[in-house]
Amino acid sequence: MTDWNNKRPGIAENVSALGIGKAIYAAPDGNKEAARLLIAADGFHFKPTDFDDLILPSLSFESTKGTKYDLSFDDDGALLINGIKYTAPTNQDDETIKGNKTYEGQTRLSGGLQLLSPNGTIFNANVDDDGKLTIEKEAKNDSTNG
């Protein structure tokens, strides 16, 4: 008897059978009594082993407006959308980021920098066009500003 659960059976030349009647069944060993149902009126009857050698280079989706999108991965495992590496957006308004972070490379801040002292005092850091850095205590000091 064929073990369908652990391994997909090989096809035996001049023995294997694919039957079509009220349903579609497969009998790789030729034994119709032990054949496995594949498709019937109640749907598909596939097992994980049926997809052991399935390789999909990409998946294509279509939006409700008809725009097509291809999803795939590069050799490093990065998600590609239409061949372009997906970068998660990080520009949400009023975002709070918690935890310890390490940044490599240049970090550019526009709009100013506020620092919070251990007791909650807010300080504004500013740099002028000559590169002079100044730190000033926030005039209206409440910890809900930053």
Side-chain angles (χ1 to χ4, degrees), residues 125-134:
N126 297 302
V127 63
D128 66 16
D129 289 331
D130 295 324
K132 181 181 175 189
L133 182 65
T134 57

Side-chain angles (χ1 to χ4, degrees), residues 114 122 138 140-146:
Q114 287 190 324
I122 299 172
E138 176 97 341
K140 181 181 174 192
N141 185 15
D142 78 55
S143 58
T144 61
N145 286 346

Side-chain angles (χ1 to χ4, degrees), residues 67 76 116 129:
T67 304
D76 296 323
L116 210 59
D129 289 331

Side-chain angles (χ1 to χ4, degrees), residues 109-114 125-126:
L109 300 174
S110 61
L113 170 66
Q114 287 190 324
N126 297 302

Side-chain angles (χ1 to χ4, degrees), residues 100-111:
N100 298 320
K101 307 289 182 248
T102 301
Y103 297 93
E104 293 183 10
Q106 293 184 349
T107 303
R108 185 174 296 181
L109 300 174
S110 61

